[in-house]
Amino acid sequence: MHREGFLLINDYQTLKIEKLYQMFTDEYKDNFAKYHEAIKELEEIIDNIKDKNVSKIFNLLYLNVVSAFDCLVCDIILTYVCSSEDKFIKYVNCIADNKLKECLSCIDTTNPAECFSYGRFQQKTFDSIMHSSYCRAQELERITKQLFGKEMKFQNTDIIELFYHRHLLAHRNGYKKDGSNLHKTESDVKKAIITMNSFVEELETIIS
């Protein structure tokens, strides 16, 4: 077991795992750069679609716009928790689920004998962050307030429709409960990008 900052890495883990830890220690500007690059790639795809009447393609593009935001929030949280041990502990105590909080309470982080257990706990926390979805307005408001001390409004905004339609496209194949189906257009996708970019811009201002 060795340390990368306060992070503990099992020496038997592969180099890929160490590169994963390195990825987690990006700066916030890198997180936002990845988001904008993903959106740019989507816009290039839109420009090169010859048949603008294929709704399935635009459904997928719409889904990817929201996924880019979801990934951005995940990356921001990973960057936050990997920036210092105090922030890692704060995330677990303020945001993480109760199971992770209980696990942490059972580990003496100052005891070298429990180094391996703490390293496994860190990995479990990263897995939990990466497996979570951040397309929930109330959760986003809690994250920005608890971690960054700033309030950002997501509930009762245009982003709610994006999250709802993302859910339908990802988990219901676009079908609503009344049996009708979503048929996104080029205009819908471009509007989604504009809406999402405005929230990303505000989020970047809060974090910077």
Side-chain angles (χ1 to χ4, degrees), residues 18 144 204:
E18 293 194 23
T144 53
E204 189 167 14

Side-chain angles (χ1 to χ4, degrees), residues 89-149:
I89 300 299
K90 182 179 180 179
Y91 167 81
V92 174
N93 289 330
C94 295
I95 304 296
D97 59 43
N98 290 331
K99 287 184 179 180
L100 283 176
K101 292 174 185 176
E102 290 172 8
C103 286
L104 180 61
S105 66
C106 297
I107 300 173
D108 181 359
T109 58
T110 63
N111 184 355
E114 296 197 33
C115 185
F116 183 76
S117 295
Y118 189 37
R120 291 187 65 182
F121 173 74
Q122 289 176 350
Q123 186 61 46
K124 185 181 291 186
T125 302
F126 297 144
D127 287 341
S128 174
I129 293 170
M130 295 185 74
H131 293 163
S132 298
S133 172
Y134 301 99
C135 294
R136 300 188 304 275
Q138 190 172 0
E139 181 69 3
L140 287 169
E141 290 179 358
R142 189 164 72 100
I143 288 168
T144 53
K145 185 174 182 179
Q146 294 289 341
L147 300 188
F148 299 101

